[in-house]
Amino acid sequence: MKKNIAIIVLSITVICLAVSLLLHNNQPNTASVKLNKNNLLSPYKDNEQEENTKLNELAINVKDSPFDAKGDGKQDDTKAIQGAIDHASEMGGGSVLLPLSTYKITSTLYVPDNIALIGLSHGKKGSIIQNEGNGFAIQTTGGHKRVNVKNVRIELNGRNNGIHLGNVKSKLTNDSIPGEMGLRHITVAGIGKGKIGIKISNASHVNMVDVRAGYGAVDNPGGHGLFIYADKYNSGVIVAYDCTFGRVDASTVGLEIDGKVNLDTFNFNGCYFGGELPIRIGLNTYVRNVNFVGTHIEARDTNRKSPHTKMVELYNVIGGNFIGVSLIGFGERNNRGFVFKRDVEKVNFMGIEANGVMSAIYANEGAKLKDDSILQEAKLTGHSQAVQFKGFDKFGK
């Protein structure tokens, strides 16, 4: 009896499932499972277009046929790598893989939306892009959105540039603001005088982790480690963790934030800045909300000729914090820590340690300062002889 009841219940269940499937298949505009461009299962309505809001699962190895990158540092691999990038873009986006090798390029690699360029290591024996061209090694294009570069080392020749996220001259799709880009485990070496390791133009929501841009060219050291610029869109919401921008004795400027329109919201956590002038902010425009936490700053004149080394130069800055900062001046005469030039408001300085700083920790050189900032006296170490405040009256004490 119990066996018969179980059979009846099972039969009714099967009939109900069959009826449900028939009714579902007869419904108009219901979701169906179909293959996308990458032959991956993707649930979308038949009349919907798939949006590229994130990277697809497509992965292309630049050494595989038909791209056939050599990776020997001798053959020009520009066409092979660009071909792999373009193919991934045509398929809707995905990852372009750079196995451990040295890839010589002679012109810029253009990376469109929804592409990740991924190597295996950014060390000296890692996935290396050897730039022998005249421009940037890597340049985003299209809408400048959702581009990621990871585990890649870029070697320059002192006469070219590294990575450019965003582009002031490009016509943007749908006039949308560039952004949602990331750099992870990147080294840019061989930056020459007047050249740039990493440039971010008119772009927002950029995240950087373990990025090293500051190793200068042996015969022509100098240039910028990181240059953030805006002349059309408001560049900002840029975050960096455990990064190096500029190097003492190798760079002119470690970090510069400037442009023709206002920029805002920058956070640097556990980062190093070095060069003749490690940090310069707001030379030609206002920069808002800049924050440096757990920062190491080193300044020394590359040619040992300048008696006026500055570590941080602030022009037009509104809002921000320098908290837990080490200033290293190497005992050069008349070197200064924080130099105020024009309009600095609501910027706080706390937990500052100065080693080998000889002139002043805080130097006012014509700035209009408001009394709503906090300038906490620094701890002097390493034979520092600097006064705490220079060019101030009672402000800051």
Side-chain angles (χ1 to χ4, degrees):
M1 181 68 179
K2 291 183 179 180
K3 183 176 181 181
N4 292 334
I5 292 173
I7 293 173
I8 293 171
V9 170
L10 180 62
S11 299
I12 293 172
T13 302
V14 171
I15 293 170
C16 290
L17 286 172
V19 172
S20 176
L21 287 172
L22 287 172
L23 290 174
H24 175 78
N25 290 334
N26 291 327
Q27 290 291 326
N29 296 325
T30 54
S32 60
V33 176
K34 66 177 182 179
L35 294 178
N36 63 15
K37 294 180 180 179
N38 304 324
N39 292 323
L40 300 173
L41 290 177
S42 179
Y44 279 88
K45 291 181 180 179
D46 291 332
N47 60 350
E48 285 183 337
Q49 289 187 347
E50 192 169 333
E51 294 184 1
N52 292 317
T53 56
K54 59 183 179 180
L55 298 177
N56 292 318
E57 296 182 25
L58 177 71
I60 296 175
N61 189 322
V62 299
K63 288 192 172 184
D64 289 346
S65 181
F67 312 108
D68 301 318
K70 191 72 174 177
D72 61 359
K74 298 177 181 179
Q75 175 179 299
D76 186 355
D77 286 324
T78 310
K79 186 177 291 186
I81 299 173
Q82 189 65 61
I85 292 170
D86 293 344
H87 180 67
S89 179
E90 290 168 1
M91 297 295 288
S95 300
V96 175
L97 308 180
L98 297 168
L100 297 176
S101 288
T102 297
Y103 303 90
K104 175 183 173 180
I105 63 170
T106 56
S107 59
T108 300
L109 298 173
Y110 292 95
V111 184
D113 302 351
N114 304 304
I115 295 295
L117 192 60
I118 300 176
L120 292 177
S121 169
H122 64 127
K124 291 185 178 181
K125 295 184 178 181
S127 299
I128 300 170
I129 295 177
Q130 182 179 302
N131 187 8
E132 296 295 337
N134 296 320
F136 281 91
I138 296 173
Q139 164 72 65
T140 60
T141 187
H144 307 275
K145 285 182 174 291
R146 295 175 294 278
V147 174
N148 289 273
V149 184
K150 182 178 180 181
N151 293 331
V152 173
R153 181 184 182 89
I154 297 175
E155 294 187 350
L156 309 178
N157 60 16
R159 299 180 299 278
N160 47 26
N161 304 292
I163 300 174
H164 190 182
L165 303 180
N167 191 332
V168 297
K169 296 181 179 179
S170 289
K171 182 178 180 181
L172 303 176
T173 57
N174 300 322
D175 201 38
S176 59
I177 298 177
E180 302 172 59
M181 294 183 279
L183 300 176
R184 305 282 192 283
H185 314 300
I186 302 295
T187 293
V188 182
I191 304 169
K193 198 171 187 66
K195 301 303 179 179
I196 300 172
I198 297 172
K199 185 175 183 179
I200 301 174
S201 299
N202 297 319
S204 295
H205 300 280
V206 178
N207 190 284
M208 293 175 281
V209 178
D210 183 28
V211 173
R212 312 286 181 229
Y215 299 92
V218 175
D219 59 346
N220 185 33
H224 282 66
L226 172 63
F227 186 23
I228 301 173
Y229 181 84
D231 68 353
K232 183 176 181 181
Y233 297 98
N234 183 354
S235 289
V237 194
I238 294 174
V239 179
Y241 297 93
D242 183 25
C243 293
T244 295
F245 299 116
R247 294 287 294 183
V248 70
D249 297 334
S251 303
T252 303
V253 180
L255 163 69
E256 179 154 16
I257 306 175
D258 197 22
K260 297 179 181 179
V261 297
N262 294 342
L263 303 94
D264 72 85
T265 312
F266 304 92
N267 293 299
F268 298 92
N269 299 279
C271 295
Y272 168 100
F273 302 89
E276 293 181 13
L277 175 57
I279 299 174
R280 179 165 60 202
I281 302 175
L283 178 61
N284 296 297
T285 190
Y286 275 92
V287 179
R288 293 175 168 82
N289 192 19
V290 292
N291 296 282
F292 297 81
V293 179
T295 302
H296 187 95
I297 300 172
E298 292 185 349
R300 181 162 58 192
D301 177 54
T302 305
N303 299 311
R304 308 288 199 278
K305 294 180 180 179
S306 173
H308 302 289
T309 305
K310 293 168 283 190
M311 299 178 188
V312 179
E313 199 170 52
L314 303 175
Y315 283 84
N316 301 294
V317 183
I318 300 179
N321 297 279
F322 288 80
I323 299 175
V325 176
S326 292
L327 303 174
I328 310 299
F330 300 101
E332 287 192 329
R333 63 189 182 91
N334 203 32
N335 57 17
R336 289 151 289 165
F338 301 96
V339 179
F340 304 87
K341 288 289 192 177
R342 292 180 190 153
D343 187 3
V344 180
E345 303 178 32
K346 297 183 182 298
V347 182
N348 303 314
F349 303 81
M350 294 177 286
I352 309 300
E353 181 256 345
N355 186 309
V357 181
M358 309 306 288
S359 177
I361 305 302
Y362 305 101
N364 183 0
E365 298 182 358
K368 296 184 297 181
L369 292 162
K370 302 293 179 68
D371 59 3
D372 52 5
S373 296
I374 298 173
L375 277 67
Q376 189 181 79
E377 290 191 1
K379 172 69 175 179
L380 302 184
T381 62
H383 307 291
S384 292
Q385 299 176 11
V387 299
Q388 295 287 341
F389 304 95
K390 185 177 182 180
F392 298 89
D393 292 325
K394 295 182 179 180
F395 174 77
K397 296 188 177 181

